Amino acid sequence: FVKEKEDWIIATQNRLFDVREKKLKEMPKLISGDTLPFLGQMLFLTVIREERKTGRVKLVKNRLIIWVPYDADYEFRRSLVERWYRKQASEVFAKKASGFAKKLNVNYKGISVKDQKSRWGSCSNRGNLNFNFRILMAPEMVCDYVIWHELCHLIHMNHSEEFWVLVNNVCPNYKICKKWLK
């Protein structure tokens, strides 16, 4: 069977390798001059190498400045930037969810920021909201949609017609946002 499908197997391997290589080339190298998406805008990255043991991150207008040790490798810079995104996510999601929940007249127990591989957000039957920190890399209206979506689950714990009517009432552009997420 393998011998019979050899050409297809090799072609598929090559295609998958090309896709992986393209994705790797598109990933930021986290060096000065790179841009990072944040709620619909692009942040310009500045990396400052200096004599230090730990990293530091600061947002100044549309510039994300990171201070790193001289020997900081890609993984060190990636971890530093991810921690910054996670901190921002906690603040942004808490503020937005609190305001949106009041408008929807619902209460949630808590918010967790995660790095889910296949979800942007989720809502437990105990009222806990989970959000993927990477949603901050989307336009702000998409981020808002994900928060509205999970808050609507506090009323309808399913994806019924009533659920989507409610989502449409609070987030009329939700179809555009869903398409962007795909």
Side-chain angles (χ1 to χ4, degrees):
F1 175 79
V2 172
K3 187 71 177 155
E4 190 178 298
K5 302 292 183 187
E6 181 180 16
D7 291 343
W8 177 85
I9 292 169
I10 292 170
T12 301
Q13 280 180 323
N14 290 337
R15 182 177 49 81
L16 292 175
F17 179 78
D18 290 346
V19 166
R20 183 172 177 268
E21 286 297 305
K22 183 179 177 194
K23 281 186 179 182
L24 286 173
K25 285 179 183 173
E26 291 172 356
M27 286 179 58
K29 297 192 179 18
L30 300 178
I31 58 176
S32 289
D34 277 351
T35 55
L36 302 171
F38 183 75
L39 292 176
Q41 61 179 326
M42 295 306 282
L43 304 178
F44 295 95
L45 183 64
T46 299
V47 178
I48 300 172
R49 292 181 179 276
E50 58 186 19
E51 192 63 43
R52 58 174 36 246
K53 289 189 182 351
T54 61
R56 181 173 169 235
V57 181
K58 185 174 183 181
L59 179 63
V60 179
K61 296 189 180 179
N62 66 339
R63 184 163 301 280
L64 191 66
I65 304 169
I66 65 172
W67 288 265
V68 299
Y70 284 116
D71 62 347
D73 62 1
Y74 173 82
E75 184 53 34
F76 185 94
R77 295 187 312 273
R78 188 206 60 74
S79 176
L80 193 61
V81 170
E82 180 177 320
R83 278 198 313 270
W84 180 82
Y85 267 107
R86 285 176 179 268
K87 182 176 183 283
Q88 298 307 307
S90 292
E91 294 171 10
V92 168
F93 298 152
K95 184 177 178 184
K96 286 180 175 285
S98 175
F100 294 174
K102 285 178 186 165
K103 291 179 182 177
L104 203 53
N105 199 26
V106 295
N107 294 308
Y108 56 90
K109 288 211 172 134
I111 294 177
S112 294
V113 174
K114 300 190 174 200
D115 184 14
Q116 300 152 306
K117 299 296 180 204
S118 60
R119 291 182 175 200
W120 295 112
S122 61
C123 175
S124 75
N125 55 8
R126 292 184 177 164
N128 293 310
L129 305 176
N130 301 303
F131 296 105
N132 189 325
F133 79 91
R134 296 174 195 279
I135 200 66
L136 288 186
M137 297 175 189
E140 190 166 8
M141 76 174 192
V142 174
C143 179
D144 289 352
Y145 157 69
V146 172
I147 296 168
W148 279 118
H149 181 109
E150 299 312 331
L151 287 169
C152 287
H153 278 310
L154 294 170
I155 297 171
H156 300 286
M157 282 298 280
N158 54 46
H159 288 111
S160 63
E161 187 176 330
E162 292 85 7
F163 169 82
W164 289 111
V165 167
L166 180 59
V167 170
N168 186 57
N169 286 341
V170 294
C171 186
N173 59 357
Y174 84 91
K175 289 181 182 176
I176 295 167
C177 298
K178 275 180 69 173
K179 186 175 179 180
W180 190 96
L181 289 169
K182 286 186 192 269

